Amino acid sequence: METVSIVLILLVAVVVSSAISRMLPLSLPTPLVQIALGYMIGLASSLRVELDPELFLLLFLPPLLFLDGWRIPKDELLKDVSTVFELALGLVLLTVVGVGFFIHWLIPAMPLAVAFALAAVVSPTDPIAVSAIAARVPIPKRMMHILEGESLLNDASGLVCLRFAIAAALTGSFSIGQASLSFLWLAIGGIAVGVIVTLSVTRTKAWISSRFGEDIGSQVLISLLIPFAAYIIAETFHCSGILAAVAAGVTMTFAEISRQALPATRMRRNSVWDTIQFALNGIIFVLLGEQLPGILTAARQTVRITDHANPWWLAGYILAIMLVLIALRFAWVWISFRLTLFRAREETPYRRPDWRLMAAMSVAGVRGAITLAGVLTIPLTLTDGSAFPARDLAIFLAAGVIILSLILASLCLPLLLKGLAMPAEPSEQAQEDAVRVAAAQAAIKAIEKTQHRLAEGRADADVYTATGTRIMDLYRERIDSRSQNEKDVREVARLAGLERDLRLAGIKAERDTIFAMARKGRIGSKVAQKLIRDLDLSEVRYR
């Protein structure tokens, strides 16, 4: 009962924090609200959550990384693939080495391997926190795609580096050659497992569905199990479960394109995954807040590790680490953008990158769920049973970096992005119009063919002809609306907006009438639910 109560309290806290963040007059990111609420829960109750590090890693990371890999726009990612790799791999390695040595120099009492472990967990960025911060000052699409791609890959690279650092701390030795071979096995094996598991499951699922029908609940549950299966199998073969989960998510995109699911399955599955992402990310930040009272209470004991007595030294350490992280990121982003512009000099005139853009990219590298999940996976003890050195200090510093990065980004990012002139984003409207026209033409051909087949040899063939003509006219109207010149397109868009507003007004009136009739008992609840569901689907389409 205690475990169930803890889970329910955490879920309620996630819901309440989301509501509070929307009520606040300030543009405060939801993760900060969740941390604050978790802190109050930790102060006001006896709730204490102690998760086994490996269990914490298994519960939270596979589904989150799987979903990131599944939903990230692949085409947009490929446009800036060189920049993404430079940030996700090069910057992570620079951060691990540079910040690791800096932490060891700053805090000599922290062993070098533990300093590298701390540097590895603060290297991954969290795009979800960035999106929350930039809610009122939207981040440019291309910049957001770069941040998303970087986060997807640096989650894996940072946590793999963490694994090496922990192994070095446990064994007391580190070999570059052995580490390189291990990295190749972890990376290649993890990616292979993720791809194989996803393709095997989706192909088996498609074969069964094509012959025996598709059960929506089973399909949704299978999608939930894939990341855990990929992670567990990869870890069983001593590969990277993190990379397996990412690869499984990326593969899921291409598997779904070639093996279609029922529309109802896709809609319900998306809703379930949205809820899981919302809950897991929220729980992680609430847990961070819940742990803060204990962490702060132990601050006087923790600071003694650093040979100081005043706990404010810990705040100074956090600030110093954060400044080094921002400085390294700014330098790397500046170099990366200069290289990108230099490579593209034949296509576009070379120009100096705007410093505000560089600063925005640097501040946008906030730390979040992955950093917290990673630092909590540091073992409690060494192989000989003794306490892991400076583990509490590493958790304290990582938690401080997360909170400070969120605060800095929430204060600085809107100011840096406001009025920032960005290169014009290529419009996707022409591509969308072309696709809609091609799809409509294919639909007309299919309707004509089906209409003739159904009407053949029937006395009421004119009914089939009239029905088919009425449906095809709707598709022809779509083709005409997407094949106009720019002036006509603007007029069509204006009329489409007017039509949308009128349809939404009609849907609202329908819904109010159905609810009123249901309250008066004039229709049954089952009929009311069916009609409301149809109206909800229509409203989602027009909104």
Side-chain angles (χ1 to χ4, degrees), residues 42-354:
L43 286 177
S45 70
S46 59
L47 173 68
R48 291 295 178 268
V49 181
E50 295 183 5
L51 280 176
D52 176 81
E54 293 300 323
L55 179 62
F56 190 87
L57 195 69
L58 173 63
L59 288 178
F60 289 93
L61 294 195
L64 291 176
L65 295 177
F66 175 81
L67 190 61
D68 285 345
W70 190 357
R71 289 185 170 177
I72 190 171
K74 310 302 184 297
D75 295 337
E76 300 297 335
L77 179 62
L78 291 175
K79 291 180 182 178
D80 296 292
V81 64
S82 60
T83 302
V84 169
F85 270 97
E86 289 164 4
L87 291 172
L89 299 180
L91 181 57
V92 166
L93 293 177
L94 176 65
T95 301
V96 172
V97 175
V99 176
F101 278 113
F102 174 76
I103 293 174
H104 182 61
W105 170 82
L106 187 68
I107 311 173
M110 178 177 283
L112 185 59
V114 181
F116 283 143
L118 177 57
V121 298
V122 298
S123 60
T125 55
D126 187 355
I128 296 173
V130 179
S131 299
I133 292 168
R136 297 188 183 181
V137 185
I139 293 179
K141 287 183 179 180
R142 188 171 184 182
M143 179 177 170
M144 195 63 201
H145 290 150
I146 293 175
L147 291 172
E148 288 174 340
E150 176 199 3
S151 173
L152 177 65
L153 296 178
N154 70 13
D155 288 347
S157 56
L159 292 175
V160 168
C161 291
L162 170 64
R163 182 170 179 168
F164 287 137
I166 291 175
L170 293 174
T171 61
S173 61
F174 180 77
S175 169
I176 295 180
Q178 184 64 34
S180 301
L181 293 176
S182 298
F183 181 82
L184 290 176
W185 171 251
L186 287 168
I188 296 173
I191 293 173
V193 168
V195 172
I196 292 172
V197 168
T198 303
L199 290 179
S200 300
V201 171
T202 53
R203 289 187 177 185
T204 303
K205 177 169 62 75
W207 183 85
I208 294 175
S209 298
S210 64
R211 286 161 176 78
F212 305 104
E214 182 172 309
D215 179 71
I216 296 176
S218 297
Q219 301 293 318
V220 175
L221 184 57
I222 288 171
S223 72
L224 297 176
L225 293 174
I226 287 176
F228 295 102
Y231 181 90
I232 292 173
I233 293 174
E235 290 294 326
T236 301
F237 288 100
H238 304 289
C239 303
S240 172
I242 302 299
L243 286 174
V246 173
V250 174
T251 307
M252 192 71 175
T253 303
F254 301 101
E256 285 294 300
I257 293 175
S258 57
R259 295 166 187 83
Q260 296 181 357
L262 291 176
T265 298
R266 289 195 296 271
M267 293 174 63
R268 190 173 300 178
R269 186 177 59 197
N270 287 336
S271 299
V272 170
W273 272 106
D274 286 340
T275 304
I276 288 176
Q277 183 183 42
F278 172 77
L280 292 183
N281 276 295
I283 286 175
I284 287 177
F285 286 110
V286 172
L287 280 175
L288 171 58
E290 185 273 331
Q291 299 288 317
L292 282 181
I295 293 174
L296 294 176
T297 302
R300 291 188 179 276
Q301 183 66 30
T302 302
V303 76
R304 292 177 184 174
I305 301 174
T306 66
D307 296 328
H308 295 288
N310 193 332
W312 283 105
W313 277 96
L314 297 176
Y317 291 147
I318 292 171
L319 180 60
I321 293 171
M322 191 70 238
L323 291 176
V324 172
L325 285 171
I326 292 176
L328 285 177
R329 185 174 177 84
F330 184 90
W332 190 269
V333 167
W334 185 83
I335 294 172
S336 177
F337 273 51
R338 290 293 291 263
L339 289 175
T340 300
L341 293 173
F342 180 77
R343 287 193 295 261
R345 67 189 184 281
E346 296 180 359
E347 301 176 9
T348 59
Y350 180 80
R351 63 185 184 87
R352 186 183 299 275
D354 192 321

